[in-house]
Amino acid sequence: MSIAASSESPPLEILPGRVAGPFDFRSLFGNERSAELEIGIGKGRFLLAQAAARPEVNFLGIEWSLKYLRLAKERAQRQGLRNVRLFRADARHVLAALLPDRSVVRVHVYCPDPWPKKRHRKRRLLTPATVAHIERVLVPGGYLDLSTDVAEYFDEIRELVPVACGLRVAEDPLFPIESPGGRTSYEAKYIESGRSIHRATYVRPGDAAEPGAVRAGDVKGSRR
Ligand SMILES: C[S@@+](CC[C@H](N)C(=O)[O-])C[C@H]1O[C@@H](n2cnc3c(N)ncnc32)[C@H](O)[C@@H]1O
């Protein structure tokens, strides 16, 4: 994506009409720092908490609901966060058409809509095509973090991922971290009502010495 030349810093919300091609993260954020992606940010609780805690990392949030995206945008503006970009779009399209290979160090997908009825399954976010694109957009050594409160969906995801792509269960997932900034709104709501949250972290195998690869220290602690 090329953003029209301007002396101002790049805008917080990416407007669909200004997206002319695959994202250029340097132009999107105005710097060359590593980027993390959250798909289905809801009102942005997790993304904004992470962005505030780790200003050295860029955060791109994708959300289909315009209402939620606008709420997240207002919150990001109120907090003066400069390392956040928000895009109202279908994440499946963003993954397939707008994210370059090896462009993000971590992908977060928390409590995606489970669509439990069989006839609605095709609406699910996590399909073979989606997870293959997630692998493609991650740098070698990059992580995919997932959660859901639906045990059956979790089992299906765990069966799907290793068949559909080269992502592997991370041995060092750096995962269950109990702090307000480490939870999404849905996770917090479900935990409060006594439901279990199922989690998995996957890693894109590859030599961290490859150009564009991530060092473990670059991505540690994203759920802190
Ligand atoms: C159940 S909510 C979870 C929100 C948040 N991740 C959390 O855990 O609090 C799922 C969110 O994903 C968004 N969503 C669903 N499908 C999407 C898609 N294809 N692209 C972008 N966002 C999507 C929905 O609008 C909704 O905000």
Side-chain angles (χ1 to χ4, degrees), residues 38-46 62-65 68 87 89-93 109-115 123 125 147 183-188 190:
E38 187 184 355
I39 295 174
I41 64 167
K43 298 173 194 167
R45 168 177 159 147
F46 174 79
I62 311 292
E63 173 52 54
W64 178 247
S65 157
Y68 283 171
F87 189 34
D90 183 337
R92 291 170 295 188
H93 167 68
V109 185
Y110 302 124
C111 300
D113 296 314
W115 296 111
R123 299 183 191 173
L125 179 74
S147 75
R183 295 276 168 234
T184 68
S185 302
Y186 273 71
E187 286 177 343
Y190 292 146

Side-chain angles (χ1 to χ4, degrees), residues 10-12 14 28-30 47 59-61 82-87:
L12 171 63
I14 301 166
L28 199 59
F29 287 93
L47 187 87
F59 289 87
L60 172 61
R82 302 173 64 90
N83 56 335
V84 171
R85 298 293 178 265
L86 302 173
F87 189 34

Side-chain angles (χ1 to χ4, degrees), residues 24-101:
D24 167 359
F25 276 80
R26 193 181 186 289
S27 141
L28 199 59
F29 287 93
N31 61 54
E32 292 187 333
R33 295 177 188 153
S34 350
E36 298 190 17
L37 166 72
E38 187 184 355
I39 295 174
I41 64 167
K43 298 173 194 167
R45 168 177 159 147
F46 174 79
L47 187 87
L48 303 186
Q50 292 298 315
R54 294 186 291 143
E56 72 284 2
V57 177
N58 294 323
F59 289 87
L60 172 61
I62 311 292
E63 173 52 54
W64 178 247
S65 157
L66 187 58
K67 188 174 135 201
Y68 283 171
L69 187 107
R70 290 281 151 84
L71 276 169
K73 182 180 173 183
E74 280 167 28
R75 290 174 176 178
Q77 277 167 335
R78 271 203 304 274
Q79 293 178 44
L81 295 170
R82 302 173 64 90
N83 56 335
V84 171
R85 298 293 178 265
L86 302 173
F87 189 34
R88 191 259 163 161
D90 183 337
R92 291 170 295 188
H93 167 68
V94 177
L95 283 166
L98 299 179
L99 291 174
D101 295 358

Side-chain angles (χ1 to χ4, degrees), residues 148-158 196 198:
T148 175
D149 65 308
V150 183
E152 200 181 65
Y153 190 21
F154 188 60
D155 290 341
E156 288 175 32
I157 293 168
R158 284 196 297 184
S196 301
H198 308 275

Side-chain angles (χ1 to χ4, degrees), residues 108-152:
H108 307 267
V109 185
Y110 302 124
C111 300
D113 296 314
W115 296 111
K117 289 187 183 156
K118 234 183 189 140
R119 67 177 189 278
H120 291 153
R121 294 272 162 94
K122 56 181 179 295
R123 299 183 191 173
R124 282 181 173 174
L125 179 74
L126 295 168
T127 63
T130 315
V131 296
H133 277 300
I134 290 175
E135 179 191 13
R136 179 184 63 74
V137 305
L138 278 170
V139 299
Y143 291 96
L144 164 64
D145 288 320
L146 295 168
S147 75
T148 175
D149 65 308
V150 183
E152 200 181 65

